mmCIF file of all heavy atoms in Angstrom:
data_model
loop_
_atom_site.group_PDB
_atom_site.id
_atom_site.type_symbol
_atom_site.label_atom_id
_atom_site.label_comp_id
_atom_site.label_asym_id
_atom_site.label_seq_id
_atom_site.Cartn_x
_atom_site.Cartn_y
_atom_site.Cartn_z
ATOM 1 N N LYS G 279 -19.932 15.825 -24.378
ATOM 2 C CA LYS G 279 -20.116 17.158 -24.960
ATOM 3 C C LYS G 279 -19.368 18.238 -24.185
ATOM 4 O O LYS G 279 -19.020 19.280 -24.731
ATOM 5 C CB LYS G 279 -21.604 17.508 -24.999
ATOM 6 C CG LYS G 279 -22.398 16.730 -26.025
ATOM 7 C CD LYS G 279 -22.181 17.279 -27.410
ATOM 8 C CE LYS G 279 -23.093 16.600 -28.417
ATOM 9 N NZ LYS G 279 -22.917 17.135 -29.769
ATOM 10 N N ASN G 280 -19.134 18.024 -22.907
ATOM 11 C CA ASN G 280 -18.430 19.016 -22.108
ATOM 12 C C ASN G 280 -16.938 19.073 -22.431
ATOM 13 O O ASN G 280 -16.254 20.010 -22.068
ATOM 14 C CB ASN G 280 -18.606 18.722 -20.617
ATOM 15 C CG ASN G 280 -20.040 18.857 -20.178
ATOM 16 O OD1 ASN G 280 -20.754 19.727 -20.657
ATOM 17 N ND2 ASN G 280 -20.477 17.984 -19.281
ATOM 18 N N ALA G 281 -16.455 18.037 -23.129
ATOM 19 C CA ALA G 281 -15.026 17.977 -23.422
ATOM 20 C C ALA G 281 -14.703 18.392 -24.838
ATOM 21 O O ALA G 281 -13.550 18.455 -25.222
ATOM 22 C CB ALA G 281 -14.513 16.557 -23.185
ATOM 23 N N VAL G 282 -15.742 18.689 -25.618
ATOM 24 C CA VAL G 282 -15.511 18.983 -27.026
ATOM 25 C C VAL G 282 -16.274 20.225 -27.447
ATOM 26 O O VAL G 282 -17.154 20.707 -26.759
ATOM 27 C CB VAL G 282 -15.930 17.796 -27.920
ATOM 28 C CG1 VAL G 282 -15.067 16.584 -27.651
ATOM 29 C CG2 VAL G 282 -17.386 17.444 -27.699
ATOM 30 N N ILE G 283 -15.918 20.703 -28.616
ATOM 31 C CA ILE G 283 -16.492 21.939 -29.130
ATOM 32 C C ILE G 283 -17.891 21.706 -29.690
ATOM 33 O O ILE G 283 -18.182 20.652 -30.230
ATOM 34 C CB ILE G 283 -15.566 22.505 -30.223
ATOM 35 C CG1 ILE G 283 -15.954 23.922 -30.603
ATOM 36 C CG2 ILE G 283 -15.535 21.634 -31.443
ATOM 37 C CD1 ILE G 283 -14.941 24.581 -31.498
ATOM 38 N N SER G 284 -18.748 22.694 -29.548
ATOM 39 C CA SER G 284 -20.042 22.645 -30.213
ATOM 40 C C SER G 284 -19.839 22.844 -31.702
ATOM 41 O O SER G 284 -18.965 23.589 -32.124
ATOM 42 C CB SER G 284 -20.953 23.754 -29.661
ATOM 43 O OG SER G 284 -22.021 24.004 -30.535
ATOM 44 N N ASN G 285 -20.652 22.187 -32.517
ATOM 45 C CA ASN G 285 -20.513 22.334 -33.963
ATOM 46 C C ASN G 285 -20.762 23.762 -34.429
ATOM 47 O O ASN G 285 -20.291 24.175 -35.473
ATOM 48 C CB ASN G 285 -21.488 21.405 -34.688
ATOM 49 C CG ASN G 285 -21.023 19.969 -34.657
ATOM 50 O OD1 ASN G 285 -19.920 19.686 -34.209
ATOM 51 N ND2 ASN G 285 -21.857 19.061 -35.126
ATOM 52 N N SER G 286 -21.527 24.518 -33.672
ATOM 53 C CA SER G 286 -21.911 25.847 -34.136
ATOM 54 C C SER G 286 -21.388 26.980 -33.276
ATOM 55 O O SER G 286 -21.509 28.130 -33.636
ATOM 56 C CB SER G 286 -23.441 25.943 -34.195
ATOM 57 O OG SER G 286 -23.993 25.713 -32.909
ATOM 58 N N ASN G 287 -20.837 26.681 -32.124
ATOM 59 C CA ASN G 287 -20.450 27.745 -31.212
ATOM 60 C C ASN G 287 -19.118 27.430 -30.553
ATOM 61 O O ASN G 287 -19.018 26.489 -29.782
ATOM 62 C CB ASN G 287 -21.533 27.939 -30.142
ATOM 63 C CG ASN G 287 -21.220 29.098 -29.207
ATOM 64 O OD1 ASN G 287 -20.293 29.863 -29.456
ATOM 65 N ND2 ASN G 287 -22.016 29.235 -28.159
ATOM 66 N N THR G 288 -18.096 28.210 -30.861
ATOM 67 C CA THR G 288 -16.787 27.975 -30.266
ATOM 68 C C THR G 288 -16.603 28.737 -28.964
ATOM 69 O O THR G 288 -15.608 28.554 -28.281
ATOM 70 C CB THR G 288 -15.677 28.402 -31.234
ATOM 71 O OG1 THR G 288 -15.760 29.818 -31.457
ATOM 72 C CG2 THR G 288 -15.786 27.687 -32.557
ATOM 73 N N ALA G 289 -17.566 29.580 -28.615
ATOM 74 C CA ALA G 289 -17.403 30.400 -27.419
ATOM 75 C C ALA G 289 -17.511 29.598 -26.141
ATOM 76 O O ALA G 289 -17.078 30.044 -25.082
ATOM 77 C CB ALA G 289 -18.453 31.520 -27.412
ATOM 78 N N ASP G 290 -18.109 28.409 -26.228
ATOM 79 C CA ASP G 290 -18.303 27.606 -25.030
ATOM 80 C C ASP G 290 -17.058 26.837 -24.601
ATOM 81 O O ASP G 290 -17.036 26.229 -23.543
ATOM 82 C CB ASP G 290 -19.435 26.598 -25.251
ATOM 83 C CG ASP G 290 -20.771 27.297 -25.437
ATOM 84 O OD1 ASP G 290 -20.919 28.426 -24.932
ATOM 85 O OD2 ASP G 290 -21.652 26.716 -26.088
ATOM 86 N N VAL G 291 -16.046 26.844 -25.454
ATOM 87 C CA VAL G 291 -14.857 26.063 -25.155
ATOM 88 C C VAL G 291 -14.056 26.725 -24.042
ATOM 89 O O VAL G 291 -13.776 27.911 -24.082
ATOM 90 C CB VAL G 291 -13.975 25.923 -26.406
ATOM 91 C CG1 VAL G 291 -12.722 25.135 -26.076
ATOM 92 C CG2 VAL G 291 -14.752 25.234 -27.507
ATOM 93 N N ASP G 292 -13.725 25.945 -23.034
ATOM 94 C CA ASP G 292 -12.900 26.440 -21.942
ATOM 95 C C ASP G 292 -11.443 26.179 -22.292
ATOM 96 O O ASP G 292 -10.913 25.106 -22.050
ATOM 97 C CB ASP G 292 -13.272 25.717 -20.638
ATOM 98 C CG ASP G 292 -12.475 26.248 -19.450
ATOM 99 O OD1 ASP G 292 -11.872 27.330 -19.575
ATOM 100 O OD2 ASP G 292 -12.452 25.562 -18.419
ATOM 101 N N ASN G 293 -10.797 27.164 -22.922
ATOM 102 C CA ASN G 293 -9.419 26.972 -23.369
ATOM 103 C C ASN G 293 -8.480 26.758 -22.197
ATOM 104 O O ASN G 293 -8.605 27.386 -21.148
ATOM 105 C CB ASN G 293 -8.945 28.197 -24.166
ATOM 106 C CG ASN G 293 -9.633 28.291 -25.498
ATOM 107 O OD1 ASN G 293 -9.981 27.277 -26.083
ATOM 108 N ND2 ASN G 293 -9.845 29.511 -25.978
ATOM 109 N N GLN G 294 -7.534 25.886 -22.427
ATOM 110 C CA GLN G 294 -6.514 25.652 -21.404
ATOM 111 C C GLN G 294 -5.675 26.912 -21.249
ATOM 112 O O GLN G 294 -5.256 27.518 -22.215
ATOM 113 C CB GLN G 294 -5.609 24.497 -21.829
ATOM 114 C CG GLN G 294 -4.522 24.202 -20.809
ATOM 115 C CD GLN G 294 -3.426 23.361 -21.423
ATOM 116 O OE1 GLN G 294 -3.124 23.509 -22.585
ATOM 117 N NE2 GLN G 294 -2.845 22.504 -20.636
ATOM 118 N N LYS G 295 -5.443 27.306 -20.014
ATOM 119 C CA LYS G 295 -4.577 28.454 -19.784
ATOM 120 C C LYS G 295 -3.144 28.059 -20.082
ATOM 121 O O LYS G 295 -2.718 26.946 -19.815
ATOM 122 C CB LYS G 295 -4.692 28.935 -18.332
ATOM 123 C CG LYS G 295 -6.070 29.508 -18.010
ATOM 124 C CD LYS G 295 -6.122 30.014 -16.583
ATOM 125 C CE LYS G 295 -7.493 30.604 -16.273
ATOM 126 N NZ LYS G 295 -7.581 31.091 -14.872
ATOM 127 N N GLU G 296 -2.391 28.999 -20.648
ATOM 128 C CA GLU G 296 -1.018 28.698 -21.025
ATOM 129 C C GLU G 296 -0.178 28.374 -19.794
ATOM 130 O O GLU G 296 -0.311 28.991 -18.741
ATOM 131 C CB GLU G 296 -0.400 29.892 -21.756
ATOM 132 C CG GLU G 296 -0.977 30.098 -23.140
ATOM 133 C CD GLU G 296 -0.210 31.151 -23.903
ATOM 134 O OE1 GLU G 296 0.618 31.831 -23.275
ATOM 135 O OE2 GLU G 296 -0.439 31.281 -25.101
ATOM 136 N N ALA G 297 0.673 27.390 -19.974
ATOM 137 C CA ALA G 297 1.616 27.058 -18.906
ATOM 138 C C ALA G 297 2.675 28.139 -18.822
ATOM 139 O O ALA G 297 2.891 28.885 -19.762
ATOM 140 C CB ALA G 297 2.272 25.715 -19.212
ATOM 141 N N LYS G 298 3.327 28.235 -17.677
ATOM 142 C CA LYS G 298 4.398 29.206 -17.549
ATOM 143 C C LYS G 298 5.654 28.666 -18.214
ATOM 144 O O LYS G 298 5.715 27.514 -18.631
ATOM 145 C CB LYS G 298 4.662 29.499 -16.075
ATOM 146 C CG LYS G 298 3.480 30.173 -15.387
ATOM 147 C CD LYS G 298 3.788 30.479 -13.933
ATOM 148 C CE LYS G 298 2.597 31.152 -13.268
ATOM 149 N NZ LYS G 298 2.866 31.443 -11.836
ATOM 150 N N GLN G 299 6.671 29.525 -18.315
ATOM 151 C CA GLN G 299 7.905 29.143 -18.990
ATOM 152 C C GLN G 299 8.621 28.041 -18.222
ATOM 153 O O GLN G 299 8.232 27.686 -17.108
ATOM 154 C CB GLN G 299 8.805 30.380 -19.106
ATOM 155 C CG GLN G 299 9.885 30.239 -20.134
ATOM 156 C CD GLN G 299 10.696 31.501 -20.233
ATOM 157 O OE1 GLN G 299 10.222 32.554 -19.889
ATOM 158 N NE2 GLN G 299 11.911 31.376 -20.693
ATOM 159 N N GLU G 300 9.670 27.491 -18.804
ATOM 160 C CA GLU G 300 10.359 26.312 -18.298
ATOM 161 C C GLU G 300 10.589 26.321 -16.797
ATOM 162 O O GLU G 300 10.353 25.339 -16.111
ATOM 163 C CB GLU G 300 11.710 26.180 -19.007
ATOM 164 C CG GLU G 300 12.561 25.051 -18.500
ATOM 165 C CD GLU G 300 13.952 25.076 -19.057
ATOM 166 O OE1 GLU G 300 14.154 25.513 -20.190
ATOM 167 O OE2 GLU G 300 14.864 24.669 -18.315
ATOM 168 N N ALA G 301 11.016 27.440 -16.268
ATOM 169 C CA ALA G 301 11.428 27.480 -14.862
ATOM 170 C C ALA G 301 10.272 27.246 -13.906
ATOM 171 O O ALA G 301 10.465 26.765 -12.798
ATOM 172 C CB ALA G 301 12.076 28.827 -14.552
ATOM 173 N N THR G 302 9.036 27.609 -14.328
ATOM 174 C CA THR G 302 7.923 27.534 -13.392
ATOM 175 C C THR G 302 6.788 26.644 -13.861
ATOM 176 O O THR G 302 5.842 26.423 -13.121
ATOM 177 C CB THR G 302 7.354 28.944 -13.142
ATOM 178 O OG1 THR G 302 6.962 29.508 -14.399
ATOM 179 C CG2 THR G 302 8.395 29.833 -12.487
ATOM 180 N N SER G 303 6.815 26.137 -15.105
ATOM 181 C CA SER G 303 5.694 25.354 -15.618
ATOM 182 C C SER G 303 5.670 23.965 -15.007
ATOM 183 O O SER G 303 6.665 23.457 -14.520
ATOM 184 C CB SER G 303 5.783 25.253 -17.141
ATOM 185 O OG SER G 303 6.968 24.591 -17.511
ATOM 186 N N GLN G 304 4.486 23.355 -15.065
ATOM 187 C CA GLN G 304 4.309 21.996 -14.571
ATOM 188 C C GLN G 304 3.969 21.111 -15.759
ATOM 189 O O GLN G 304 2.800 20.953 -16.108
ATOM 190 C CB GLN G 304 3.195 21.963 -13.514
ATOM 191 C CG GLN G 304 3.487 22.811 -12.298
ATOM 192 C CD GLN G 304 4.699 22.306 -11.528
ATOM 193 O OE1 GLN G 304 4.892 21.104 -11.384
ATOM 194 N NE2 GLN G 304 5.537 23.212 -11.044
ATOM 195 N N PRO G 305 4.929 20.520 -16.417
ATOM 196 C CA PRO G 305 4.648 19.729 -17.610
ATOM 197 C C PRO G 305 3.945 18.431 -17.293
ATOM 198 O O PRO G 305 4.035 17.923 -16.180
ATOM 199 C CB PRO G 305 6.042 19.457 -18.187
ATOM 200 C CG PRO G 305 6.927 19.441 -16.973
ATOM 201 C CD PRO G 305 6.356 20.503 -16.062
ATOM 202 N N GLN G 306 3.257 17.908 -18.330
ATOM 203 C CA GLN G 306 2.669 16.584 -18.202
ATOM 204 C C GLN G 306 3.789 15.563 -18.301
ATOM 205 O O GLN G 306 4.591 15.602 -19.212
ATOM 206 C CB GLN G 306 1.662 16.336 -19.329
ATOM 207 C CG GLN G 306 0.495 17.302 -19.333
ATOM 208 C CD GLN G 306 -0.399 17.038 -20.510
ATOM 209 O OE1 GLN G 306 -0.253 16.063 -21.219
ATOM 210 N NE2 GLN G 306 -1.354 17.921 -20.719
ATOM 211 N N THR G 307 3.857 14.658 -17.383
ATOM 212 C CA THR G 307 4.899 13.644 -17.435
ATOM 213 C C THR G 307 4.400 12.441 -18.215
ATOM 214 O O THR G 307 3.229 12.113 -18.184
ATOM 215 C CB THR G 307 5.307 13.204 -16.024
ATOM 216 O OG1 THR G 307 4.153 12.731 -15.338
ATOM 217 C CG2 THR G 307 5.912 14.374 -15.256
ATOM 218 N N SER G 308 5.301 11.817 -18.926
ATOM 219 C CA SER G 308 4.966 10.664 -19.736
ATOM 220 C C SER G 308 5.413 9.399 -19.043
ATOM 221 O O SER G 308 6.352 9.403 -18.258
ATOM 222 C CB SER G 308 5.655 10.781 -21.108
ATOM 223 O OG SER G 308 5.460 9.620 -21.858
ATOM 224 N N SER G 309 4.730 8.286 -19.362
ATOM 225 C CA SER G 309 5.102 7.022 -18.757
ATOM 226 C C SER G 309 6.458 6.547 -19.247
ATOM 227 O O SER G 309 7.118 5.761 -18.593
ATOM 228 C CB SER G 309 4.034 5.971 -19.074
ATOM 229 O OG SER G 309 3.899 5.817 -20.480
ATOM 230 N N LYS G 310 6.870 7.021 -20.426
ATOM 231 C CA LYS G 310 8.199 6.680 -20.908
ATOM 232 C C LYS G 310 8.715 7.799 -21.796
ATOM 233 O O LYS G 310 7.949 8.506 -22.449
ATOM 234 C CB LYS G 310 8.170 5.368 -21.686
ATOM 235 C CG LYS G 310 7.398 5.405 -22.987
ATOM 236 C CD LYS G 310 7.567 4.088 -23.731
ATOM 237 C CE LYS G 310 6.856 4.151 -25.088
ATOM 238 N NZ LYS G 310 7.085 2.931 -25.873
ATOM 239 N N ASP G 311 10.022 7.965 -21.779
ATOM 240 C CA ASP G 311 10.635 8.981 -22.616
ATOM 241 C C ASP G 311 10.737 8.469 -24.045
ATOM 242 O O ASP G 311 10.799 7.267 -24.294
ATOM 243 C CB ASP G 311 12.024 9.329 -22.075
ATOM 244 C CG ASP G 311 11.960 9.952 -20.689
ATOM 245 O OD1 ASP G 311 10.941 10.598 -20.391
ATOM 246 O OD2 ASP G 311 12.918 9.780 -19.919
#
């Protein structure tokens, strides 16, 4: 339940903060391209 939205309340969701632009962001790396 901590990882998903409540059916009735969206205020509890901890939105991911936006990553910075290309020069400074830390992208998620994939196991393969």
Side-chain angles (χ1 to χ4, degrees):
K279 289 282 186 179
N280 295 323
V282 295
I283 191 171
S284 162
N285 284 353
S286 60
N287 183 9
T288 64
D290 294 334
V291 179
D292 183 15
N293 290 329
Q294 180 197 34
K295 293 182 179 179
E296 289 188 350
K298 295 181 180 179
Q299 198 178 336
E300 176 189 328
T302 57
S303 62
Q304 299 296 321
Q306 299 177 9
T307 57
S308 174
S309 59
K310 67 174 183 176
D311 296 331

